[in-house]
Amino acid sequence: RAGTNTFYSWGDTVSPELANYYGNVGTSSAVGSYRPNPWGFYDMHGNLWELVADHWGAYSEDPQIDPEGSLTHDSVIRRCVSYAVWPENMKTSLRTPWL
């Protein structure tokens, strides 16, 4: 979340000026077409899926920094969703298995 406590790195609402999502552009956009998050990373919401080194599974209930999820499941995680997904599904906390 780039140091934020909101749904998106910029706040809790989304608009076409902030991200590429369903019905907005209709295809992927060039990296840097939208403003970066507070850490300087571009396109962390919308545009393209991000495959991460995490595996599908429940996180521990204990407080953690950079949790890894399951270490035994075969599916890796994708985050941040693509331009073809509704903005409600672009929340930073969303993680889905990539089979």
Coordinates of all heavy atoms in Angstrom, one line a residue:
R1 N 0.8 -1.2 0.0 CA 0.0 0.0 0.0 C 0.8 1.3 0.0 O 0.3 2.3 0.1 CB -0.9 0.0 1.2 CG -2.0 -1.1 1.1 CD -3.0 -1.0 2.2 NE -4.0 -2.0 1.9 CZ -4.7 -2.7 2.8 NH1 -4.5 -2.4 4.1 NH2 -5.5 -3.6 2.5
A2 N 2.1 1.1 -0.1 CA 3.0 2.2 -0.2 C 2.9 3.2 0.9 O 2.9 4.4 0.8 CB 2.8 3.0 -1.6
G3 N 2.8 2.6 2.2 CA 2.7 3.4 3.4 C 1.3 4.0 3.6 O 1.2 4.9 4.5
T4 N 0.3 3.7 2.9 CA -1.0 4.2 3.1 C -1.9 3.2 3.8 O -1.6 2.0 3.8 CB -1.6 4.7 1.7 OG1 -1.9 3.5 1.0 CG2 -0.7 5.6 1.0
N5 N -3.1 3.7 4.2 CA -4.1 2.8 4.8 C -5.4 2.8 4.1 O -6.5 2.6 4.6 CB -4.3 3.2 6.3 CG -3.1 3.0 7.1 OD1 -2.5 1.9 7.0 ND2 -2.8 3.9 8.0
T6 N -5.4 3.2 2.8 CA -6.5 3.3 2.0 C -6.7 2.2 1.0 O -5.7 1.4 0.8 CB -6.5 4.7 1.2 OG1 -5.2 4.7 0.5 CG2 -6.5 5.8 2.2
F7 N -7.8 2.1 0.3 CA -8.0 1.0 -0.7 C -7.0 1.1 -1.8 O -6.5 0.1 -2.3 CB -9.4 1.1 -1.3 CG -10.5 0.7 -0.4 CD1 -11.7 1.4 -0.4 CD2 -10.4 -0.4 0.4 CE1 -12.7 1.0 0.4 CE2 -11.4 -0.8 1.2 CZ -12.6 -0.1 1.2
Y8 N -6.7 2.3 -2.3 CA -5.7 2.5 -3.3 C -4.6 3.4 -2.7 O -4.8 4.0 -1.7 CB -6.3 3.2 -4.5 CG -7.6 2.6 -5.0 CD1 -8.8 3.2 -4.6 CD2 -7.6 1.4 -5.7 CE1 -10.0 2.6 -5.0 CE2 -8.8 0.9 -6.1 CZ -10.0 1.4 -5.8 OH -11.2 0.9 -6.2
S9 N -3.4 3.4 -3.4 CA -2.3 4.2 -2.8 C -2.6 5.7 -2.8 O -2.0 6.4 -2.0 CB -1.0 4.0 -3.6 OG -1.2 4.4 -5.0
W10 N -3.6 6.2 -3.6 CA -3.9 7.6 -3.6 C -5.1 7.9 -2.8 O -5.5 9.1 -2.6 CB -4.2 8.1 -5.0 CG -5.3 7.3 -5.7 CD1 -6.6 7.4 -5.5 CD2 -5.1 6.2 -6.6 NE1 -7.3 6.5 -6.2 CE2 -6.4 5.7 -7.0 CE3 -4.0 5.6 -7.2 CZ2 -6.6 4.7 -7.8 CZ3 -4.3 4.6 -8.1 CH2 -5.5 4.1 -8.4
G11 N -5.9 7.0 -2.3 CA -7.1 7.2 -1.5 C -8.1 6.1 -1.6 O -7.8 5.0 -2.0
D12 N -9.4 6.4 -1.4 CA -10.4 5.3 -1.4 C -11.3 5.3 -2.6 O -12.2 4.5 -2.7 CB -11.3 5.5 -0.1 CG -10.5 5.1 1.1 OD1 -9.7 4.1 1.1 OD2 -10.8 5.7 2.2
T13 N -11.1 6.3 -3.5 CA -11.9 6.3 -4.7 C -11.0 6.3 -5.9 O -9.8 6.6 -5.8 CB -12.8 7.6 -4.7 OG1 -11.9 8.8 -4.7 CG2 -13.8 7.7 -3.6
V14 N -11.6 6.0 -7.1 CA -10.8 5.9 -8.3 C -11.5 6.6 -9.4 O -12.7 6.8 -9.4 CB -10.6 4.4 -8.7 CG1 -11.9 3.7 -9.1 CG2 -9.6 4.2 -9.8
S15 N -10.8 7.1 -10.4 CA -11.3 7.8 -11.5 C -10.4 7.5 -12.7 O -9.3 7.0 -12.5 CB -11.3 9.3 -11.3 OG -10.0 9.8 -11.3
P16 N -10.8 7.7 -14.0 CA -10.0 7.5 -15.1 C -8.7 8.2 -15.2 O -7.8 7.8 -15.8 CB -10.9 7.9 -16.3 CG -12.3 7.8 -15.8 CD -12.2 8.2 -14.3
E17 N -8.6 9.3 -14.4 CA -7.3 10.0 -14.3 C -6.3 9.4 -13.4 O -5.1 9.7 -13.5 CB -7.6 11.5 -13.8 CG -8.3 12.3 -14.8 CD -9.8 12.0 -14.7 OE1 -10.4 11.6 -13.7 OE2 -10.5 12.2 -15.8
L18 N -6.7 8.4 -12.6 CA -5.8 7.7 -11.6 C -5.4 6.4 -12.0 O -4.3 5.9 -11.6 CB -6.5 7.7 -10.3 CG -6.9 9.0 -9.6 CD1 -7.8 8.8 -8.4 CD2 -5.6 9.8 -9.3
A19 N -6.1 5.6 -12.9 CA -5.8 4.3 -13.2 C -6.5 3.8 -14.5 O -7.5 4.3 -14.9 CB -6.1 3.3 -12.1
N20 N -5.9 2.8 -15.1 CA -6.5 2.2 -16.3 C -7.3 1.0 -15.8 O -6.7 0.0 -15.3 CB -5.4 1.7 -17.3 CG -6.0 1.2 -18.6 OD1 -7.2 1.1 -18.8 ND2 -5.1 0.7 -19.4
Y21 N -8.6 1.0 -16.0 CA -9.5 -0.1 -15.5 C -10.6 -0.3 -16.5 O -10.7 0.5 -17.5 CB -10.0 0.2 -14.1 CG -10.7 1.5 -13.9 CD1 -12.1 1.6 -14.2 CD2 -10.1 2.6 -13.5 CE1 -12.8 2.7 -14.0 CE2 -10.8 3.8 -13.4 CZ -12.1 3.9 -13.6 OH -12.8 5.0 -13.5
Y22 N -11.5 -1.2 -16.2 CA -12.6 -1.6 -17.1 C -13.3 -0.5 -17.7 O -13.8 0.4 -17.0 CB -13.5 -2.6 -16.4 CG -14.6 -3.1 -17.3 CD1 -14.3 -4.2 -18.2 CD2 -15.9 -2.6 -17.3 CE1 -15.2 -4.7 -19.0 CE2 -16.8 -3.1 -18.2 CZ -16.5 -4.2 -19.0 OH -17.5 -4.7 -19.8
G23 N -13.4 -0.4 -19.0 CA -14.2 0.6 -19.7 C -13.5 2.0 -19.8 O -14.1 2.9 -20.4
N24 N -12.3 2.1 -19.3 CA -11.6 3.3 -19.3 C -10.8 3.5 -20.6 O -11.2 4.4 -21.3 CB -10.7 3.3 -18.0 CG -9.9 4.6 -17.9 OD1 -10.0 5.5 -18.6 ND2 -9.0 4.6 -16.9
V25 N -9.9 2.7 -20.8 CA -9.0 2.8 -22.0 C -9.3 1.6 -23.0 O -9.3 1.8 -24.2 CB -7.5 2.8 -21.7 CG1 -6.6 2.8 -22.9 CG2 -7.2 4.0 -20.8
G26 N -9.6 0.4 -22.5 CA -9.9 -0.7 -23.3 C -8.7 -1.5 -23.7 O -8.9 -2.6 -24.4
T27 N -7.5 -1.1 -23.4 CA -6.3 -1.9 -23.6 C -5.2 -1.4 -22.6 O -5.5 -0.5 -21.9 CB -5.8 -1.6 -25.1 OG1 -4.7 -2.5 -25.4 CG2 -5.4 -0.2 -25.3
S28 N -4.1 -2.1 -22.6 CA -3.1 -1.7 -21.7 C -2.5 -0.3 -22.1 O -2.6 0.1 -23.2 CB -1.9 -2.7 -21.6 OG -1.4 -2.9 -22.9
S29 N -2.0 0.4 -21.1 CA -1.4 1.7 -21.3 C 0.1 1.7 -21.1 O 0.6 0.8 -20.4 CB -2.0 2.7 -20.3 OG -3.4 2.9 -20.4
A30 N 0.8 2.6 -21.7 CA 2.3 2.7 -21.5 C 2.6 2.9 -20.0 O 1.9 3.6 -19.3 CB 2.9 3.8 -22.3
V31 N 3.6 2.3 -19.5 CA 4.0 2.4 -18.1 C 4.3 3.9 -17.9 O 4.9 4.6 -18.7 CB 5.3 1.6 -17.8 CG1 5.8 1.9 -16.4 CG2 5.0 0.1 -17.9
G32 N 3.8 4.4 -16.8 CA 4.0 5.8 -16.4 C 2.9 6.7 -16.9 O 3.0 8.0 -16.8
S33 N 1.8 6.2 -17.5 CA 0.7 7.0 -18.0 C -0.1 7.6 -16.8 O -0.8 8.5 -17.0 CB -0.2 6.1 -18.8 OG 0.4 5.7 -20.0
Y34 N 0.1 7.1 -15.6 CA -0.6 7.6 -14.4 C 0.4 7.9 -13.4 O 1.5 7.4 -13.4 CB -1.6 6.5 -13.9 CG -2.6 6.2 -15.0 CD1 -2.4 5.1 -15.9 CD2 -3.8 6.9 -15.1 CE1 -3.3 4.9 -16.9 CE2 -4.7 6.6 -16.1 CZ -4.5 5.6 -17.0 OH -5.4 5.3 -18.0
R35 N 0.1 8.7 -12.4 CA 1.0 9.1 -11.4 C 1.5 7.9 -10.6 O 0.8 7.0 -10.4 CB 0.5 10.2 -10.5 CG -0.6 9.8 -9.6 CD -1.2 11.0 -8.9 NE -2.1 10.5 -7.8 CZ -3.0 11.3 -7.2 NH1 -3.1 12.5 -7.5 NH2 -3.7 10.8 -6.3
P36 N 2.7 8.0 -10.1 CA 3.3 6.9 -9.2 C 2.7 6.9 -7.8 O 2.1 7.9 -7.4 CB 4.8 7.2 -9.2 CG 4.8 8.7 -9.3 CD 3.7 9.1 -10.2
N37 N 2.9 5.8 -7.1 CA 2.4 5.7 -5.7 C 3.4 6.5 -4.9 O 4.5 7.0 -5.4 CB 2.2 4.3 -5.3 CG 3.5 3.5 -5.2 OD1 4.6 4.0 -5.1 ND2 3.3 2.1 -5.1
P38 N 3.2 6.6 -3.6 CA 4.2 7.4 -2.7 C 5.6 6.8 -2.7 O 6.5 7.6 -2.4 CB 3.5 7.3 -1.3 CG 2.1 7.1 -1.6 CD 2.0 6.3 -2.8
W39 N 5.8 5.6 -3.1 CA 7.2 5.0 -3.2 C 7.8 5.2 -4.6 O 8.9 4.8 -4.8 CB 7.2 3.6 -2.8 CG 6.8 3.3 -1.4 CD1 6.8 4.3 -0.3 CD2 6.5 2.1 -0.7 NE1 6.5 3.7 0.8 CE2 6.3 2.3 0.6 CE3 6.4 0.8 -1.2 CZ2 6.0 1.3 1.5 CZ3 6.1 -0.2 -0.3 CH2 5.9 0.1 1.0
G40 N 7.1 5.8 -5.5 CA 7.6 6.1 -6.8 C 7.4 5.0 -7.9 O 7.9 5.0 -9.0
F41 N 6.5 4.0 -7.5 CA 6.2 2.9 -8.4 C 5.0 3.2 -9.3 O 4.0 3.7 -8.7 CB 5.9 1.6 -7.7 CG 7.1 1.1 -7.0 CD1 7.1 1.0 -5.6 CD2 8.3 0.6 -7.6 CE1 8.2 0.5 -4.9 CE2 9.4 0.2 -6.9 CZ 9.3 0.1 -5.6
Y42 N 5.0 3.0 -10.6 CA 3.9 3.3 -11.5 C 3.0 2.1 -11.7 O 3.5 1.0 -11.6 CB 4.5 3.8 -12.8 CG 5.1 5.1 -12.8 CD1 6.5 5.3 -12.5 CD2 4.4 6.3 -13.1 CE1 7.1 6.5 -12.4 CE2 5.0 7.5 -13.1 CZ 6.3 7.6 -12.7 OH 6.9 8.9 -12.7
D43 N 1.8 2.4 -12.0 CA 0.8 1.4 -12.4 C 0.6 0.2 -11.4 O 0.6 -0.9 -11.8 CB 1.2 0.8 -13.8 CG 1.3 1.9 -14.8 OD1 0.5 2.8 -14.9 OD2 2.3 1.9 -15.6
M44 N 0.6 0.5 -10.2 CA 0.3 -0.5 -9.2 C -1.1 -0.8 -9.0 O -1.5 -1.8 -8.3 CB 1.0 -0.1 -7.8 CG 2.5 0.1 -7.9 SD 3.4 -1.4 -8.6 CE 3.0 -2.6 -7.4
H45 N -2.0 -0.1 -9.6 CA -3.4 -0.4 -9.7 C -3.9 -0.4 -11.1 O -3.6 0.6 -11.8 CB -4.2 0.6 -8.9 CG -3.9 0.7 -7.4 ND1 -4.2 -0.2 -6.5 CD2 -3.1 1.7 -6.8 CE1 -3.8 0.2 -5.3 NE2 -3.1 1.3 -5.5
G46 N -4.5 -1.4 -11.6 CA -5.0 -1.4 -12.9 C -3.9 -1.7 -13.9 O -2.8 -2.1 -13.6
N47 N -4.2 -1.5 -15.2 CA -3.4 -1.7 -16.3 C -3.0 -3.1 -16.6 O -3.5 -3.7 -17.5 CB -2.1 -0.8 -16.3 CG -1.6 -0.5 -17.6 OD1 -2.3 -0.5 -18.6 ND2 -0.3 -0.3 -17.7
L48 N -2.1 -3.8 -15.8 CA -1.7 -5.2 -16.1 C -1.6 -5.9 -14.8 O -1.3 -5.3 -13.7 CB -0.4 -5.2 -16.8 CG -0.3 -4.6 -18.2 CD1 1.1 -4.6 -18.7 CD2 -1.2 -5.4 -19.1
W49 N -1.9 -7.2 -14.8 CA -1.7 -8.1 -13.6 C -0.2 -8.1 -13.2 O 0.7 -8.0 -14.1 CB -2.1 -9.5 -13.9 CG -3.6 -9.7 -14.0 CD1 -4.3 -9.8 -15.1 CD2 -4.5 -9.8 -12.9 NE1 -5.7 -10.0 -14.8 CE2 -5.8 -10.0 -13.4 CE3 -4.3 -9.7 -11.5 CZ2 -6.9 -10.1 -12.6 CZ3 -5.5 -9.9 -10.7 CH2 -6.7 -10.1 -11.3
E50 N 0.0 -8.3 -12.0 CA 1.4 -8.4 -11.5 C 1.5 -9.8 -10.8 O 0.8 -10.1 -9.9 CB 1.7 -7.3 -10.4 CG 3.0 -7.5 -9.7 CD 3.1 -6.7 -8.5 OE1 2.1 -6.0 -8.0 OE2 4.2 -6.6 -7.9
L51 N 2.4 -10.7 -11.3 CA 2.6 -11.9 -10.7 C 3.7 -11.7 -9.6 O 4.7 -11.1 -9.9 CB 3.1 -13.0 -11.7 CG 2.1 -13.4 -12.8 CD1 2.7 -14.4 -13.8 CD2 0.8 -14.0 -12.1
V52 N 3.4 -12.2 -8.4 CA 4.4 -12.0 -7.3 C 4.9 -13.4 -6.8 O 4.4 -14.4 -7.2 CB 3.7 -11.2 -6.2 CG1 3.3 -9.8 -6.7 CG2 2.5 -11.9 -5.6
A53 N 5.9 -13.3 -6.0 CA 6.6 -14.6 -5.5 C 5.8 -15.2 -4.4 O 6.3 -16.1 -3.7 CB 8.0 -14.2 -5.1
D54 N 4.6 -14.7 -4.1 CA 3.8 -15.3 -3.0 C 3.1 -16.5 -3.6 O 2.9 -16.6 -4.8 CB 2.8 -14.2 -2.6 CG 2.1 -14.5 -1.3 OD1 2.4 -15.5 -0.7 OD2 1.3 -13.6 -0.8
H55 N 2.6 -17.4 -2.7 CA 1.8 -18.6 -3.1 C 0.4 -18.5 -2.4 O 0.3 -17.9 -1.4 CB 2.5 -19.9 -2.7 CG 3.6 -20.2 -3.5 ND1 4.9 -19.7 -3.3 CD2 3.7 -20.9 -4.7 CE1 5.7 -20.1 -4.2 NE2 5.0 -20.9 -5.1
W56 N -0.6 -19.0 -3.1 CA -1.9 -19.0 -2.6 C -2.1 -19.7 -1.3 O -1.5 -20.8 -1.1 CB -2.9 -19.6 -3.6 CG -4.3 -19.4 -3.2 CD1 -5.1 -20.4 -2.8 CD2 -5.1 -18.2 -3.1 NE1 -6.4 -19.9 -2.5 CE2 -6.3 -18.5 -2.7 CE3 -4.8 -16.9 -3.4 CZ2 -7.3 -17.6 -2.5 CZ3 -5.8 -15.9 -3.3 CH2 -7.0 -16.3 -2.8
G57 N -2.7 -19.1 -0.3 CA -3.0 -19.7 1.0 C -3.2 -18.7 2.0 O -3.0 -17.5 1.8
A58 N -3.7 -19.1 3.1 CA -4.1 -18.2 4.2 C -2.8 -17.6 4.8 O -1.8 -18.3 5.0 CB -4.9 -18.9 5.3
Y59 N -2.9 -16.3 5.2 CA -1.8 -15.7 6.0 C -1.9 -16.1 7.4 O -3.0 -16.4 7.9 CB -1.8 -14.2 5.9 CG -1.4 -13.6 4.6 CD1 -2.2 -12.7 3.9 CD2 -0.2 -14.0 4.0 CE1 -1.8 -12.1 2.7 CE2 0.2 -13.4 2.8 CZ -0.6 -12.5 2.1 OH -0.2 -11.9 1.0
S60 N -0.9 -16.0 8.2 CA -0.9 -16.3 9.6 C -1.7 -15.2 10.3 O -1.7 -14.0 9.8 CB 0.5 -16.3 10.1 OG 0.5 -16.3 11.5
E61 N -2.3 -15.5 11.4 CA -3.0 -14.5 12.2 C -2.1 -13.6 12.9 O -2.5 -12.5 13.4 CB -4.0 -15.2 13.1 CG -5.0 -16.1 12.5 CD -6.3 -15.4 12.1 OE1 -6.6 -14.3 12.8 OE2 -7.0 -15.8 11.2
D62 N -0.8 -14.0 13.1 CA 0.2 -13.2 13.8 C 0.6 -12.0 13.0 O 0.7 -12.0 11.8 CB 1.4 -14.0 14.1 CG 1.1 -15.3 15.0 OD1 0.2 -15.2 15.8 OD2 1.7 -16.3 14.7
P63 N 0.9 -10.8 13.7 CA 1.4 -9.7 13.0 C 2.6 -10.0 12.2 O 3.5 -10.8 12.6 CB 1.7 -8.7 14.1 CG 0.9 -9.1 15.2 CD 0.8 -10.6 15.1
Q64 N 2.7 -9.5 10.9 CA 3.8 -9.9 10.0 C 4.2 -8.7 9.2 O 3.4 -7.8 9.0 CB 3.5 -11.0 9.1 CG 3.1 -12.3 9.7 CD 2.8 -13.3 8.7 OE1 3.6 -13.5 7.8 NE2 1.7 -14.0 8.9
I65 N 5.4 -8.7 8.7 CA 5.9 -7.7 7.7 C 6.2 -8.6 6.5 O 6.9 -9.5 6.5 CB 7.1 -7.0 8.2 CG1 6.7 -6.1 9.4 CG2 7.7 -6.1 7.0 CD1 7.9 -5.4 10.0
D66 N 5.6 -8.2 5.3 CA 5.8 -8.9 4.1 C 5.5 -10.4 4.2 O 6.3 -11.3 3.9 CB 7.3 -8.7 3.6 CG 7.6 -7.3 3.2 OD1 6.6 -6.6 2.8 OD2 8.7 -6.9 3.3
P67 N 4.3 -10.8 4.6 CA 3.9 -12.2 4.7 C 4.0 -12.9 3.4 O 3.8 -12.3 2.3 CB 2.5 -12.1 5.2 CG 1.9 -10.8 4.7 CD 3.1 -9.9 4.8
E68 N 4.3 -14.2 3.4 CA 4.4 -15.0 2.2 C 3.3 -15.9 1.9 O 3.3 -16.6 0.8 CB 5.7 -15.8 2.3 CG 7.0 -14.9 2.3 CD 8.2 -15.7 2.4 OE1 8.2 -17.0 2.3 OE2 9.3 -15.1 2.4
G69 N 2.3 -16.0 2.7 CA 1.2 -16.9 2.4 C 1.7 -18.4 2.5 O 2.7 -18.7 3.2
S70 N 1.1 -19.3 1.8 CA 1.4 -20.7 1.9 C 2.8 -20.9 1.2 O 3.0 -20.3 0.1 CB 0.4 -21.5 1.2 OG 0.8 -22.8 1.0
L71 N 3.6 -21.8 1.7 CA 4.8 -22.1 1.1 C 4.7 -23.5 0.3 O 5.7 -23.9 -0.3 CB 6.0 -22.2 2.1 CG 6.2 -20.9 2.9 CD1 7.3 -21.1 3.9 CD2 6.7 -19.8 1.9
T72 N 3.6 -24.1 0.4 CA 3.4 -25.4 -0.2 C 2.4 -25.4 -1.4 O 2.4 -26.4 -2.1 CB 2.9 -26.4 0.9 OG1 1.7 -26.0 1.4 CG2 4.0 -26.6 2.0
H73 N 1.6 -24.4 -1.6 CA 0.6 -24.4 -2.6 C 1.2 -24.2 -4.0 O 2.2 -23.5 -4.1 CB -0.5 -23.4 -2.3 CG -1.7 -23.6 -3.1 ND1 -1.9 -23.4 -4.4 CD2 -2.9 -24.2 -2.7 CE1 -3.1 -23.7 -4.8 NE2 -3.8 -24.2 -3.8
D74 N 0.7 -24.8 -5.0 CA 1.3 -24.7 -6.4 C 1.0 -23.4 -7.1 O 1.7 -22.9 -7.9 CB 0.8 -25.8 -7.3 CG 1.3 -27.2 -6.8 OD1 2.3 -27.2 -6.2 OD2 0.6 -28.2 -7.2
S75 N -0.1 -22.7 -6.7 CA -0.5 -21.5 -7.4 C 0.2 -20.3 -6.9 O 0.3 -20.0 -5.7 CB -2.0 -21.3 -7.3 OG -2.7 -22.2 -7.9
V76 N 0.8 -19.5 -7.8 CA 1.4 -18.2 -7.4 C 0.3 -17.2 -7.3 O -0.9 -17.4 -7.8 CB 2.5 -17.7 -8.3 CG1 3.7 -18.7 -8.2 CG2 2.0 -17.6 -9.7
I77 N 0.6 -16.0 -6.8 CA -0.4 -14.9 -6.7 C -0.3 -13.9 -7.7 O 0.8 -13.5 -8.2 CB -0.2 -14.3 -5.3 CG1 -0.5 -15.3 -4.2 CG2 -1.2 -13.1 -5.1 CD1 -1.8 -15.9 -4.1
R78 N -1.4 -13.3 -8.1 CA -1.4 -12.2 -9.0 C -2.1 -11.1 -8.2 O -3.0 -11.3 -7.4 CB -2.1 -12.4 -10.3 CG -3.5 -12.9 -10.3 CD -4.1 -13.2 -11.6 NE -5.4 -13.7 -11.5 CZ -6.2 -13.9 -12.5 NH1 -5.8 -13.7 -13.7 NH2 -7.5 -14.3 -12.3
R79 N -1.7 -9.8 -8.4 CA -2.2 -8.7 -7.7 C -2.4 -7.5 -8.7 O -1.9 -7.5 -9.8 CB -1.2 -8.2 -6.6 CG -1.1 -9.1 -5.5 CD -0.1 -8.5 -4.5 NE 0.1 -9.3 -3.3 CZ -0.6 -9.3 -2.2 NH1 -1.6 -8.5 -2.1 NH2 -0.3 -10.1 -1.2
C80 N -3.1 -6.5 -8.3 CA -3.3 -5.2 -8.9 C -4.2 -5.2 -10.1 O -4.5 -4.1 -10.6 CB -1.9 -4.7 -9.3 SG -0.8 -4.6 -7.9
V81 N -4.6 -6.3 -10.6 CA -5.6 -6.5 -11.7 C -5.2 -5.7 -13.0 O -4.4 -4.9 -13.0 CB -7.0 -6.2 -11.3 CG1 -7.4 -7.0 -10.1 CG2 -7.3 -4.7 -11.0
S82 N -6.0 -6.0 -14.0 CA -5.7 -5.5 -15.3 C -6.7 -4.4 -15.7 O -7.6 -4.1 -15.0 CB -5.7 -6.6 -16.4 OG -7.0 -7.0 -16.7
Y83 N -6.5 -3.9 -16.9 CA -7.4 -2.9 -17.5 C -8.8 -3.4 -17.7 O -9.7 -2.7 -17.9 CB -6.8 -2.3 -18.8 CG -6.7 -3.3 -19.9 CD1 -7.8 -3.6 -20.7 CD2 -5.5 -4.0 -20.1 CE1 -7.7 -4.5 -21.7 CE2 -5.4 -4.9 -21.1 CZ -6.5 -5.2 -21.9 OH -6.4 -6.1 -22.9
A84 N -8.9 -4.7 -17.7 CA -10.2 -5.4 -18.0 C -11.1 -5.7 -16.8 O -12.0 -6.4 -16.8 CB -10.0 -6.7 -18.8
V85 N -10.7 -5.1 -15.6 CA -11.4 -5.4 -14.4 C -12.0 -4.2 -13.8 O -11.5 -3.1 -13.9 CB -10.3 -6.0 -13.4 CG1 -11.0 -6.3 -12.0 CG2 -9.8 -7.3 -13.9
W86 N -13.1 -4.4 -13.1 CA -13.8 -3.2 -12.5 C -13.0 -2.6 -11.4 O -12.2 -3.3 -10.7 CB -15.1 -3.7 -11.9 CG -16.1 -4.1 -12.9 CD1 -16.4 -5.3 -13.3 CD2 -16.9 -3.2 -13.7 NE1 -17.4 -5.3 -14.3 CE2 -17.7 -4.0 -14.6 CE3 -17.1 -1.8 -13.8 CZ2 -18.6 -3.5 -15.5 CZ3 -17.9 -1.3 -14.7 CH2 -18.7 -2.1 -15.6
P87 N -13.0 -1.3 -11.2 CA -12.2 -0.6 -10.2 C -12.3 -1.1 -8.8 O -11.4 -1.1 -8.0 CB -12.6 0.9 -10.3 CG -13.9 0.9 -11.0 CD -13.9 -0.3 -11.9
E88 N -13.5 -1.6 -8.4 CA -13.7 -2.2 -7.1 C -12.7 -3.3 -6.8 O -12.4 -3.6 -5.7 CB -15.1 -2.6 -6.8 CG -16.1 -1.6 -7.0 CD -16.6 -1.4 -8.5 OE1 -16.6 -2.4 -9.2 OE2 -16.8 -0.2 -8.9
N89 N -12.3 -4.0 -7.9 CA -11.4 -5.1 -7.7 C -9.9 -4.7 -7.8 O -9.0 -5.6 -7.9 CB -11.7 -6.2 -8.8 CG -13.1 -6.8 -8.5 OD1 -13.5 -6.9 -7.4 ND2 -13.8 -7.0 -9.6
M90 N -9.6 -3.5 -7.9 CA -8.2 -3.0 -8.0 C -7.6 -2.7 -6.6 O -6.5 -2.1 -6.5 CB -8.1 -1.7 -8.9 CG -8.4 -2.0 -10.3 SD -8.0 -0.6 -11.3 CE -8.3 0.9 -10.3
K91 N -8.3 -3.0 -5.6 CA -7.8 -2.7 -4.2 C -6.4 -3.3 -4.0 O -6.2 -4.5 -4.4 CB -8.8 -3.1 -3.2 CG -10.1 -2.3 -3.3 CD -11.1 -2.8 -2.3 CE -12.4 -2.0 -2.5 NZ -13.5 -2.6 -1.7
T92 N -5.5 -2.7 -3.3 CA -4.2 -3.1 -3.0 C -4.2 -4.5 -2.3 O -3.4 -5.3 -2.5 CB -3.5 -2.1 -2.1 OG1 -3.5 -0.9 -2.8 CG2 -2.1 -2.6 -1.8
S93 N -5.2 -4.7 -1.5 CA -5.3 -6.0 -0.7 C -5.8 -7.2 -1.5 O -5.7 -8.3 -1.0 CB -6.2 -5.8 0.5 OG -7.5 -5.4 0.1
L94 N -6.3 -7.0 -2.7 CA -6.8 -8.1 -3.5 C -5.6 -9.0 -4.0 O -4.6 -8.5 -4.5 CB -7.5 -7.6 -4.8 CG -8.0 -8.7 -5.7 CD1 -9.2 -9.4 -5.0 CD2 -8.4 -8.2 -7.0
R95 N -5.8 -10.3 -3.8 CA -4.8 -11.3 -4.3 C -5.6 -12.5 -4.7 O -6.6 -12.9 -4.1 CB -3.8 -11.7 -3.2 CG -4.4 -12.1 -1.9 CD -3.4 -12.1 -0.8 NE -2.5 -13.3 -0.8 CZ -2.7 -14.4 -0.2 NH1 -3.9 -14.6 0.4 NH2 -1.9 -15.4 -0.2
T96 N -5.3 -12.9 -5.9 CA -6.0 -14.1 -6.5 C -5.0 -15.1 -7.0 O -3.9 -14.7 -7.4 CB -7.0 -13.7 -7.6 OG1 -6.2 -13.0 -8.6 CG2 -8.0 -12.7 -7.2
P97 N -5.4 -16.4 -7.0 CA -4.4 -17.4 -7.5 C -4.3 -17.4 -9.0 O -5.3 -17.1 -9.7 CB -5.1 -18.7 -7.1 CG -6.5 -18.5 -6.9 CD -6.6 -17.0 -6.5
W98 N -3.1 -17.6 -9.5 CA -2.9 -17.7 -10.9 C -2.5 -19.2 -11.2 O -1.5 -19.6 -10.8 CB -1.7 -16.8 -11.3 CG -1.4 -16.9 -12.8 CD1 -0.5 -17.7 -13.4 CD2 -2.0 -16.1 -13.8 NE1 -0.5 -17.4 -14.7 CE2 -1.4 -16.4 -15.0 CE3 -3.0 -15.1 -13.8 CZ2 -1.8 -15.8 -16.2 CZ3 -3.3 -14.5 -15.0 CH2 -2.7 -14.9 -16.2
L99 N -3.5 -19.9 -11.8 CA -3.3 -21.3 -11.9 C -2.4 -21.7 -13.1 O -2.4 -21.1 -14.1 CB -4.6 -22.0 -12.0 CG -5.5 -21.7 -10.8 CD1 -6.9 -22.3 -11.0 CD2 -4.9 -22.3 -9.5

